[in-house]
Coordinates of all heavy atoms in Angstrom, one line a residue:
L95 N -6.3 -40.3 19.7 CA -5.9 -39.3 20.8 C -6.9 -39.4 21.9 O -6.6 -39.4 23.0 CB -5.6 -38.0 20.2 CG -5.0 -37.0 21.3 CD1 -3.7 -37.5 21.9 CD2 -4.9 -35.7 20.6
L96 N -8.2 -39.3 21.5 CA -9.2 -39.4 22.4 C -9.3 -40.6 23.2 O -9.4 -40.6 24.4 CB -10.6 -39.2 21.7 CG -11.8 -39.1 22.6 CD1 -11.7 -38.0 23.6 CD2 -13.1 -39.0 21.7
T97 N -9.1 -41.7 22.6 CA -9.1 -43.0 23.2 C -7.9 -43.1 24.2 O -8.1 -43.5 25.4 CB -8.9 -44.2 22.3 OG1 -10.0 -44.2 21.3 CG2 -8.9 -45.6 22.9
Y98 N -6.7 -42.6 23.8 CA -5.7 -42.5 24.7 C -5.9 -41.7 26.0 O -5.7 -42.1 27.1 CB -4.4 -42.0 24.0 CG -3.2 -41.8 25.0 CD1 -2.4 -43.0 25.3 CD2 -2.9 -40.6 25.6 CE1 -1.4 -42.8 26.3 CE2 -1.8 -40.5 26.4 CZ -1.1 -41.6 26.8 OH -0.1 -41.4 27.7
K99 N -6.5 -40.5 25.8 CA -6.9 -39.7 27.0 C -7.9 -40.3 27.9 O -7.8 -40.3 29.1 CB -7.4 -38.3 26.4 CG -6.3 -37.4 26.0 CD -6.8 -36.0 25.5 CE -5.8 -35.2 25.0 NZ -6.3 -33.9 24.6
E100 N -8.9 -40.9 27.2 CA -10.0 -41.6 28.0 C -9.3 -42.8 28.8 O -9.6 -42.9 30.0 CB -11.1 -42.1 27.1 CG -12.1 -42.9 27.8 CD -13.1 -43.6 26.9 OE1 -12.9 -43.6 25.6 OE2 -14.2 -44.0 27.4
T101 N -8.5 -43.6 28.2 CA -7.8 -44.7 28.8 C -7.0 -44.2 29.9 O -7.0 -44.8 31.0 CB -6.9 -45.5 27.8 OG1 -7.8 -45.9 26.7 CG2 -6.3 -46.6 28.4
A102 N -6.2 -43.2 29.7 CA -5.3 -42.7 30.8 C -6.1 -42.2 32.0 O -5.8 -42.5 33.2 CB -4.4 -41.5 30.2
Q103 N -7.3 -41.6 31.7 CA -8.2 -41.0 32.8 C -8.7 -42.2 33.6 O -8.8 -42.2 34.8 CB -9.2 -40.1 32.2 CG -10.1 -39.5 33.3 CD -11.2 -38.7 32.6 OE1 -11.6 -38.8 31.5 NE2 -11.6 -37.7 33.4
V104 N -9.3 -43.2 32.9 CA -9.9 -44.3 33.5 C -8.8 -45.1 34.4 O -9.1 -45.5 35.4 CB -10.5 -45.3 32.5 CG1 -11.0 -46.6 33.1 CG2 -11.8 -44.6 31.9
L105 N -7.7 -45.3 33.8 CA -6.6 -46.0 34.4 C -6.2 -45.3 35.7 O -6.1 -45.9 36.8 CB -5.4 -46.3 33.5 CG -4.3 -47.1 34.1 CD1 -4.8 -48.5 34.5 CD2 -3.1 -47.2 33.1
E106 N -6.1 -44.0 35.7 CA -5.7 -43.2 36.9 C -6.9 -43.3 37.9 O -6.5 -43.4 39.1 CB -5.6 -41.7 36.5 CG -4.2 -41.4 36.0 CD -3.1 -41.8 37.1 OE1 -3.2 -41.5 38.2 OE2 -2.1 -42.3 36.6
Q107 N -8.1 -43.3 37.5 CA -9.2 -43.5 38.5 C -9.1 -44.9 39.2 O -9.4 -45.0 40.4 CB -10.5 -43.4 37.8 CG -10.8 -41.9 37.4 CD -12.1 -41.9 36.5 OE1 -12.7 -42.9 36.1 NE2 -12.5 -40.7 36.2
L108 N -8.8 -45.9 38.4 CA -8.7 -47.2 39.0 C -7.4 -47.4 39.9 O -7.5 -48.0 40.9 CB -8.7 -48.3 37.9 CG -10.0 -48.4 37.1 CD1 -10.0 -49.4 36.0 CD2 -11.2 -48.8 38.1
I109 N -6.3 -46.9 39.4 CA -5.2 -46.9 40.3 C -5.4 -46.2 41.6 O -4.9 -46.7 42.6 CB -4.0 -46.2 39.6 CG1 -3.5 -47.1 38.4 CG2 -2.8 -46.0 40.5 CD1 -2.6 -46.4 37.4
A110 N -6.2 -45.2 41.6 CA -6.4 -44.5 42.8 C -7.3 -45.3 43.9 O -7.3 -45.0 45.0 CB -7.2 -43.2 42.6
L111 N -7.9 -46.4 43.4 CA -8.6 -47.3 44.2 C -7.7 -48.3 45.0 O -8.2 -49.0 45.9 CB -9.7 -48.0 43.5 CG -10.8 -47.1 42.8 CD1 -11.7 -48.0 42.0 CD2 -11.5 -46.4 43.9
L112 N -6.5 -48.4 44.4 CA -5.6 -49.4 45.1 C -5.1 -48.9 46.4 O -5.1 -47.7 46.7 CB -4.4 -49.6 44.2 CG -4.5 -50.2 42.8 CD1 -3.3 -50.1 42.0 CD2 -4.9 -51.7 43.0
P113 N -4.7 -49.7 47.4 CA -4.1 -49.3 48.6 C -2.9 -48.4 48.3 O -2.2 -48.5 47.3 CB -3.6 -50.5 49.3 CG -4.5 -51.6 48.7 CD -4.7 -51.2 47.3
P114 N -2.6 -47.4 49.2 CA -1.5 -46.4 48.9 C -0.2 -47.0 48.5 O 0.4 -46.5 47.5 CB -1.4 -45.6 50.1 CG -2.8 -45.7 50.7 CD -3.3 -47.1 50.4
Q115 N 0.3 -47.9 49.2 CA 1.6 -48.5 48.8 C 1.6 -49.2 47.5 O 2.5 -49.1 46.6 CB 2.2 -49.4 49.9 CG 3.7 -49.8 49.5 CD 4.3 -50.4 50.7 OE1 3.8 -50.8 51.7 NE2 5.7 -50.6 50.5
R116 N 0.5 -49.9 47.2 CA 0.3 -50.7 45.9 C 0.2 -49.6 44.8 O 0.8 -49.8 43.7 CB -0.9 -51.5 46.0 CG -0.9 -52.5 44.9 CD -1.9 -53.6 45.2 NE -1.4 -54.4 46.4 CZ -2.2 -55.1 47.2 NH1 -3.5 -55.2 46.9 NH2 -1.8 -55.8 48.1
Q117 N -0.5 -48.5 45.0 CA -0.5 -47.4 44.0 C 0.9 -46.9 43.6 O 1.3 -46.8 42.5 CB -1.2 -46.2 44.5 CG -2.7 -46.3 44.6 CD -3.3 -45.0 45.0 OE1 -2.9 -43.9 44.7 NE2 -4.3 -45.1 45.9
N118 N 1.7 -46.6 44.7 CA 3.0 -46.1 44.5 C 3.9 -47.0 43.8 O 4.7 -46.7 42.9 CB 3.7 -45.7 45.9 CG 2.9 -44.6 46.5 OD1 2.3 -43.8 45.8 ND2 3.0 -44.4 47.8
I119 N 3.9 -48.4 44.2 CA 4.7 -49.4 43.5 C 4.3 -49.5 42.1 O 5.1 -49.5 41.2 CB 4.7 -50.7 44.3 CG1 5.4 -50.5 45.7 CG2 5.2 -51.8 43.5 CD1 5.2 -51.7 46.6
F120 N 3.0 -49.5 41.8 CA 2.5 -49.7 40.4 C 3.1 -48.5 39.5 O 3.5 -48.7 38.5 CB 1.0 -49.8 40.4 CG 0.4 -50.1 39.0 CD1 0.4 -51.4 38.5 CD2 0.0 -49.0 38.2 CE1 -0.1 -51.6 37.3 CE2 -0.5 -49.2 36.9 CZ -0.6 -50.5 36.5
R121 N 2.8 -47.3 40.1 CA 3.3 -46.1 39.3 C 4.8 -46.1 39.1 O 5.3 -45.8 38.0 CB 2.9 -44.9 40.1 CG 1.4 -44.6 40.0 CD 1.0 -43.2 40.5 NE -0.3 -42.9 40.2 CZ -1.3 -42.9 41.0 NH1 -1.1 -43.2 42.3 NH2 -2.5 -42.5 40.6
M122 N 5.6 -46.5 40.2 CA 7.0 -46.5 39.9 C 7.5 -47.5 38.8 O 8.3 -47.2 38.1 CB 7.8 -46.9 41.2 CG 7.7 -45.8 42.2 SD 8.7 -46.2 43.7 CE 10.4 -45.9 43.1
V123 N 6.8 -48.7 38.8 CA 7.2 -49.7 37.8 C 6.6 -49.3 36.5 O 7.4 -49.3 35.5 CB 6.7 -51.1 38.2 CG1 6.9 -52.1 37.1 CG2 7.5 -51.5 39.5
K124 N 5.3 -49.1 36.4 CA 4.7 -48.9 35.0 C 4.8 -47.6 34.4 O 4.8 -47.4 33.2 CB 3.2 -49.3 35.1 CG 3.0 -50.8 35.4 CD 3.6 -51.6 34.3 CE 3.3 -53.1 34.4 NZ 3.9 -53.9 33.4
I125 N 4.9 -46.4 35.3 CA 4.8 -45.1 34.8 C 6.2 -44.6 34.7 O 6.7 -43.9 33.8 CB 3.8 -44.2 35.5 CG1 2.4 -44.8 35.3 CG2 4.0 -42.8 35.2 CD1 1.3 -44.2 36.1
D126 N 7.0 -44.8 35.9 CA 8.3 -44.2 36.0 C 9.4 -45.2 35.4 O 10.5 -44.8 35.2 CB 8.7 -43.9 37.4 CG 7.7 -43.0 38.1 OD1 7.1 -42.2 37.3 OD2 7.7 -43.0 39.3
G127 N 9.0 -46.4 35.1 CA 9.9 -47.3 34.4 C 11.0 -47.9 35.3 O 12.0 -48.4 34.8
K128 N 10.8 -47.9 36.6 CA 11.7 -48.5 37.5 C 11.6 -50.0 37.5 O 10.6 -50.6 37.3 CB 11.5 -48.0 39.0 CG 11.5 -46.5 39.1 CD 12.9 -46.0 38.9 CE 13.0 -44.4 39.3 NZ 14.2 -43.8 38.8
S129 N 12.7 -50.6 37.8 CA 12.7 -52.1 37.9 C 12.2 -52.6 39.3 O 12.2 -51.8 40.3 CB 14.1 -52.6 37.7 OG 15.0 -52.4 38.8
Y130 N 11.8 -53.8 39.3 CA 11.4 -54.4 40.6 C 12.5 -54.3 41.7 O 12.2 -53.8 42.8 CB 11.0 -55.8 40.4 CG 9.7 -56.1 39.7 CD1 9.0 -55.1 38.9 CD2 9.0 -57.3 39.9 CE1 7.8 -55.3 38.3 CE2 7.8 -57.6 39.2 CZ 7.2 -56.6 38.5 OH 6.0 -56.8 37.8
P131 N 13.7 -54.6 41.4 CA 14.8 -54.4 42.4 C 15.0 -53.0 42.9 O 15.2 -52.7 44.0 CB 16.1 -55.0 41.7 CG 15.6 -55.8 40.7 CD 14.2 -55.3 40.2
E132 N 14.8 -52.0 41.9 CA 14.9 -50.6 42.2 C 13.8 -50.2 43.3 O 14.1 -49.5 44.2 CB 14.9 -49.7 41.1 CG 16.1 -49.7 40.2 CD 16.0 -49.0 38.9 OE1 14.9 -49.1 38.2 OE2 16.9 -48.3 38.5
V133 N 12.6 -50.6 43.0 CA 11.5 -50.3 43.9 C 11.7 -51.0 45.2 O 11.4 -50.4 46.2 CB 10.1 -50.7 43.2 CG1 9.0 -50.5 44.1 CG2 9.9 -50.0 41.9
A134 N 12.1 -52.2 45.2 CA 12.3 -52.9 46.5 C 13.3 -52.2 47.3 O 13.1 -52.0 48.5 CB 12.7 -54.3 46.2
E135 N 14.4 -51.7 46.7 CA 15.4 -51.0 47.4 C 14.9 -49.7 47.9 O 15.2 -49.3 49.1 CB 16.6 -50.8 46.6 CG 17.8 -50.1 47.3 CD 19.1 -50.0 46.4 OE1 19.2 -50.7 45.5 OE2 19.8 -49.1 46.8
F136 N 14.1 -49.0 47.0 CA 13.6 -47.6 47.4 C 12.7 -47.8 48.7 O 12.8 -46.9 49.6 CB 12.8 -47.1 46.3 CG 12.3 -45.8 46.5 CD1 13.1 -44.6 46.4 CD2 10.9 -45.6 46.9 CE1 12.5 -43.3 46.6 CE2 10.4 -44.3 47.2 CZ 11.2 -43.2 47.1
Y137 N 11.9 -48.8 48.7 CA 10.9 -48.9 49.9 C 11.4 -49.8 51.0 O 10.8 -49.9 52.1 CB 9.6 -49.5 49.3 CG 8.7 -48.4 48.7 CD1 8.5 -48.5 47.3 CD2 8.1 -47.5 49.4 CE1 7.8 -47.6 46.7 CE2 7.4 -46.5 48.8 CZ 7.2 -46.5 47.4 OH 6.5 -45.6 46.8
G138 N 12.6 -50.4 50.8 CA 13.1 -51.3 51.8 C 12.3 -52.5 52.1 O 12.1 -53.0 53.2
I139 N 11.8 -53.0 51.0 CA 11.0 -54.3 51.0 C 11.6 -55.3 50.2 O 12.5 -55.1 49.4 CB 9.5 -54.0 50.6 CG1 9.5 -53.4 49.2 CG2 8.8 -53.0 51.6 CD1 8.0 -53.1 48.7
S140 N 11.1 -56.5 50.3 CA 11.6 -57.6 49.5 C 11.2 -57.6 48.0 O 10.1 -57.0 47.7 CB 11.3 -59.0 50.0 OG 9.9 -59.3 49.9
L141 N 12.0 -58.1 47.3 CA 11.6 -58.3 45.8 C 10.3 -59.0 45.6 O 9.4 -58.6 44.8 CB 12.7 -59.0 45.0 CG 12.6 -59.1 43.5 CD1 12.5 -57.7 42.8 CD2 13.7 -59.9 42.9
N142 N 10.1 -60.1 46.4 CA 8.8 -60.8 46.4 C 7.7 -59.9 46.7 O 6.5 -60.2 46.2 CB 8.9 -62.1 47.2 CG 9.7 -63.2 46.6 OD1 9.8 -63.2 45.4 ND2 10.3 -64.0 47.4
T143 N 7.8 -59.0 47.7 CA 6.7 -58.1 48.0 C 6.3 -57.2 46.9 O 5.2 -57.0 46.6 CB 7.1 -57.3 49.3 OG1 7.4 -58.2 50.3 CG2 6.0 -56.3 49.7
V144 N 7.4 -56.7 46.1 CA 7.1 -55.9 45.0 C 6.4 -56.7 43.9 O 5.4 -56.3 43.4 CB 8.4 -55.3 44.4 CG1 8.1 -54.6 43.0 CG2 9.0 -54.3 45.3
K145 N 6.8 -57.9 43.7 CA 6.1 -58.9 42.7 C 4.7 -59.1 43.1 O 3.8 -59.1 42.3 CB 6.9 -60.1 42.6 CG 8.2 -60.0 42.0 CD 9.0 -61.4 42.0 CE 10.3 -61.3 41.3 NZ 11.0 -62.5 41.3
D146 N 4.4 -59.3 44.4 CA 3.1 -59.5 44.9 C 2.2 -58.4 44.7 O 1.1 -58.4 44.2 CB 3.1 -59.9 46.4 CG 1.8 -60.3 46.9 OD1 1.1 -61.3 46.3 OD2 1.3 -59.7 47.9
H147 N 2.7 -57.1 44.9 CA 1.9 -55.9 44.8 C 1.7 -55.7 43.3 O 0.5 -55.4 43.0 CB 2.7 -54.7 45.3 CG 2.6 -54.5 46.7 ND1 1.4 -54.1 47.4 CD2 3.5 -54.4 47.7 CE1 1.6 -54.0 48.7 NE2 2.9 -54.1 48.9
M148 N 2.6 -56.0 42.4 CA 2.4 -55.8 41.0 C 1.4 -56.8 40.5 O 0.5 -56.5 39.7 CB 3.7 -55.9 40.3 CG 4.6 -54.7 40.4 SD 3.8 -53.1 40.0 CE 3.5 -53.4 38.3
K149 N 1.4 -58.0 41.0 CA 0.5 -59.1 40.5 C -0.9 -58.7 41.0 O -1.9 -58.8 40.1 CB 1.0 -60.4 41.2 CG 0.1 -61.6 40.8 CD 0.8 -62.8 41.4 CE 0.0 -64.1 41.2 NZ 0.5 -65.2 41.8
K150 N -1.1 -58.3 42.2 CA -2.4 -57.9 42.8 C -2.9 -56.7 42.0 O -4.1 -56.6 41.7 CB -2.3 -57.7 44.3 CG -2.1 -59.1 44.9 CD -2.1 -58.9 46.4 CE -1.9 -60.2 47.1 NZ -1.7 -60.2 48.6
S151 N -2.1 -55.7 41.8 CA -2.5 -54.5 41.1 C -3.0 -54.8 39.6 O -4.1 -54.4 39.3 CB -1.3 -53.5 41.0 OG -0.9 -53.1 42.2
S152 N -2.2 -55.7 38.9 CA -2.6 -55.9 37.5 C -3.9 -56.8 37.6 O -4.8 -56.5 36.7 CB -1.5 -56.8 36.9 OG -0.3 -56.0 36.7
R153 N -4.0 -57.7 38.5 CA -5.3 -58.5 38.5 C -6.4 -57.6 38.9 O -7.5 -57.7 38.2 CB -5.1 -59.6 39.7 CG -6.3 -60.5 39.7 CD -6.3 -61.6 40.7 NE -5.0 -62.3 40.7 CZ -4.3 -62.4 41.8 NH1 -4.7 -62.1 43.0 NH2 -3.1 -63.2 41.8
F154 N -6.3 -56.7 39.8 CA -7.4 -55.7 40.1 C -7.8 -54.8 38.9 O -9.0 -54.8 38.6 CB -7.0 -54.9 41.3 CG -7.9 -53.8 41.6 CD1 -9.2 -54.0 42.3 CD2 -7.7 -52.5 41.1 CE1 -10.0 -53.0 42.5 CE2 -8.6 -51.5 41.4 CZ -9.8 -51.7 42.1
L155 N -6.8 -54.3 38.3 CA -7.1 -53.4 37.2 C -7.6 -54.2 36.0 O -8.6 -53.6 35.4 CB -5.7 -52.7 36.8 CG -5.2 -51.8 37.8 CD1 -3.8 -51.3 37.4 CD2 -6.1 -50.6 38.1
K156 N -7.2 -55.4 35.7 CA -7.8 -56.1 34.6 C -9.2 -56.4 34.9 O -10.1 -56.4 34.0 CB -7.0 -57.4 34.4 CG -5.6 -57.2 33.7 CD -5.0 -58.6 33.6 CE -3.6 -58.4 33.1 NZ -2.8 -59.7 33.0
T157 N -9.5 -56.9 36.1 CA -10.9 -57.2 36.5 C -11.8 -56.0 36.4 O -12.9 -56.1 35.8 CB -10.9 -57.8 38.0 OG1 -10.1 -58.9 38.0 CG2 -12.3 -58.1 38.4
Q158 N -11.3 -54.9 36.9 CA -12.2 -53.7 36.9 C -12.4 -53.2 35.5 O -13.6 -52.9 35.1 CB -11.6 -52.6 37.8 CG -11.5 -52.9 39.3 CD -13.0 -53.2 39.8 OE1 -13.9 -52.6 39.6 NE2 -13.0 -54.3 40.4
L159 N -11.4 -53.3 34.7 CA -11.5 -52.8 33.3 C -12.4 -53.7 32.5 O -13.2 -53.2 31.8 CB -10.2 -52.7 32.7 CG -9.3 -51.5 33.0 CD1 -7.9 -51.7 32.5 CD2 -10.0 -50.2 32.4
S160 N -12.3 -55.0 32.7 CA -13.1 -55.9 31.9 C -14.6 -55.8 32.3 O -15.5 -56.0 31.5 CB -12.7 -57.4 32.0 OG -12.8 -57.8 33.4
K161 N -14.9 -55.5 33.6 CA -16.2 -55.3 34.0 C -16.9 -53.9 33.6 O -18.0 -53.9 33.0 CB -16.3 -55.3 35.6 CG -16.1 -56.7 36.1 CD -16.3 -56.6 37.7 CE -15.9 -57.8 38.4 NZ -16.0 -57.6 39.9
E162 N -16.0 -52.9 33.8 CA -16.6 -51.5 33.6 C -16.3 -50.8 32.3 O -17.0 -50.0 31.8 CB -16.2 -50.6 34.8 CG -16.6 -51.2 36.2 CD -16.1 -50.3 37.3 OE1 -16.0 -49.1 37.2 OE2 -15.8 -50.9 38.4
F163 N -15.2 -51.3 31.8 CA -14.7 -50.6 30.6 C -14.0 -51.6 29.6 O -12.9 -51.4 29.2 CB -13.6 -49.5 30.9 CG -14.0 -48.5 31.9 CD1 -13.7 -48.7 33.3 CD2 -14.7 -47.4 31.6 CE1 -14.1 -47.8 34.2 CE2 -15.1 -46.5 32.6 CZ -14.9 -46.7 33.9
P164 N -14.8 -52.6 29.2 CA -14.2 -53.6 28.3 C -13.7 -53.1 27.0 O -12.7 -53.6 26.5 CB -15.3 -54.6 28.0 CG -16.6 -53.8 28.3 CD -16.2 -52.8 29.4
H165 N -14.2 -51.9 26.5 CA -13.6 -51.4 25.2 C -12.3 -50.8 25.4 O -11.6 -50.7 24.4 CB -14.6 -50.3 24.7 CG -14.8 -49.1 25.6 ND1 -15.5 -49.2 26.8 CD2 -14.3 -47.9 25.6 CE1 -15.4 -48.0 27.5 NE2 -14.7 -47.2 26.8
L166 N -11.8 -50.6 26.6 CA -10.5 -50.0 26.8 C -9.4 -51.1 27.0 O -8.2 -50.8 27.0 CB -10.5 -49.1 28.0 CG -11.4 -47.7 27.9 CD1 -11.3 -47.0 29.1 CD2 -10.9 -47.0 26.7
M167 N -9.8 -52.3 27.2 CA -8.9 -53.4 27.5 C -7.9 -53.5 26.3 O -6.7 -53.6 26.5 CB -9.6 -54.7 27.7 CG -10.2 -54.9 29.1 SD -8.9 -54.8 30.4 CE -8.1 -56.4 30.1
L168 N -8.4 -53.5 25.1 CA -7.5 -53.7 23.9 C -6.5 -52.5 23.8 O -5.3 -52.7 23.5 CB -8.3 -53.8 22.7 CG -9.0 -55.1 22.5 CD1 -9.8 -55.0 21.1 CD2 -8.2 -56.2 22.5
T169 N -6.9 -51.4 24.2 CA -6.0 -50.2 24.1 C -4.9 -50.4 25.2 O -3.7 -50.2 24.8 CB -6.8 -48.9 24.4 OG1 -7.8 -48.8 23.5 CG2 -5.9 -47.7 24.3
L170 N -5.2 -50.8 26.4 CA -4.2 -51.0 27.4 C -3.3 -52.1 27.1 O -2.1 -52.1 27.3 CB -4.9 -51.1 28.8 CG -5.5 -49.9 29.3 CD1 -6.3 -50.3 30.6 CD2 -4.5 -48.9 29.6
I171 N -3.8 -53.1 26.5 CA -3.0 -54.3 26.1 C -2.0 -53.8 25.0 O -0.8 -54.2 25.1 CB -3.9 -55.4 25.7 CG1 -4.6 -56.1 26.9 CG2 -3.0 -56.5 25.0 CD1 -5.6 -57.1 26.5
A172 N -2.5 -53.0 24.1 CA -1.6 -52.5 23.1 C -0.4 -51.7 23.7 O 0.7 -51.6 23.2 CB -2.3 -51.7 22.1
Y173 N -0.7 -51.0 24.8 CA 0.3 -50.2 25.4 C 1.1 -50.9 26.4 O 1.9 -50.4 27.2 CB -0.3 -48.9 26.1 CG -0.8 -47.9 25.1 CD1 -2.2 -47.7 25.0 CD2 0.0 -47.2 24.4 CE1 -2.7 -46.7 24.1 CE2 -0.4 -46.3 23.5 CZ -1.8 -46.0 23.3 OH -2.2 -45.1 22.4
S174 N 0.9 -52.2 26.6 CA 1.7 -53.1 27.5 C 1.6 -52.7 28.9 O 2.7 -52.7 29.6 CB 3.1 -53.3 26.9 OG 3.2 -53.8 25.7
V175 N 0.5 -52.3 29.4 CA 0.4 -51.8 30.8 C 0.5 -53.1 31.7 O 0.9 -52.9 32.8 CB -1.0 -51.1 31.0 CG1 -1.3 -50.8 32.4 CG2 -1.0 -49.8 30.2
F176 N 0.1 -54.2 31.3 CA 0.0 -55.3 32.1 C 1.0 -56.4 31.8 O 0.8 -57.6 31.8 CB -1.5 -56.0 32.0 CG -2.6 -55.1 32.4 CD1 -3.4 -54.7 31.4 CD2 -2.6 -54.6 33.6 CE1 -4.5 -53.9 31.7 CE2 -3.7 -53.7 34.0 CZ -4.6 -53.4 33.1
Q177 N 2.2 -56.0 31.7 CA 3.4 -57.0 31.5 C 3.7 -57.6 32.8 O 3.6 -57.1 33.8 CB 4.6 -56.3 30.9 CG 4.3 -55.7 29.5 CD 5.5 -55.1 29.0 OE1 6.6 -55.0 29.6 NE2 5.5 -54.7 27.7

């Protein structure tokens, strides 16, 4: 439980470093469970734009976690945050 809370807190801090639209798209997909097409329609953007935001978000979060919080990487992988 402690690892989960720590992981959630760190992940929220890192998500907050993303540009605002990228944060929103990441949260809609990963936290709210929306599909890429649903997010694209909601924001009036292309599906490829959503894919690009998700790819860049995942890359940023993985890089930051591996540098600053390597012990949390396995926890996040187990929760399938970076699918």
Side-chain angles (χ1 to χ4, degrees):
L95 185 61
L96 181 59
T97 301
Y98 176 79
K99 286 182 179 182
E100 179 186 11
T101 302
Q103 183 179 26
V104 167
L105 187 56
E106 276 301 318
Q107 291 171 351
L108 293 176
I109 292 170
L111 298 176
L112 294 168
Q115 186 168 10
R116 196 163 294 157
Q117 284 182 43
N118 294 336
I119 290 170
F120 184 86
R121 283 190 171 103
M122 284 185 79
V123 171
K124 293 298 183 180
I125 296 170
D126 299 338
K128 302 292 184 192
S129 69
Y130 286 18
E132 288 174 316
V133 174
E135 184 178 336
F136 180 83
Y137 282 109
I139 57 178
S140 74
L141 183 59
N142 284 334
T143 300
V144 173
K145 289 178 183 179
D146 185 59
H147 278 297
M148 290 303 296
K149 183 177 178 182
K150 289 177 179 174
S151 295
S152 292
R153 186 180 311 131
F154 171 79
L155 294 171
K156 285 178 188 179
T157 301
Q158 293 304 309
L159 282 168
S160 66
K161 286 181 186 176
E162 299 177 38
F163 307 96
H165 63 286
L166 296 179
M167 282 297 289
L168 290 176
T169 303
L170 289 172
I171 291 169
Y173 289 114
S174 300
V175 172
F176 300 117
Q177 292 182 359

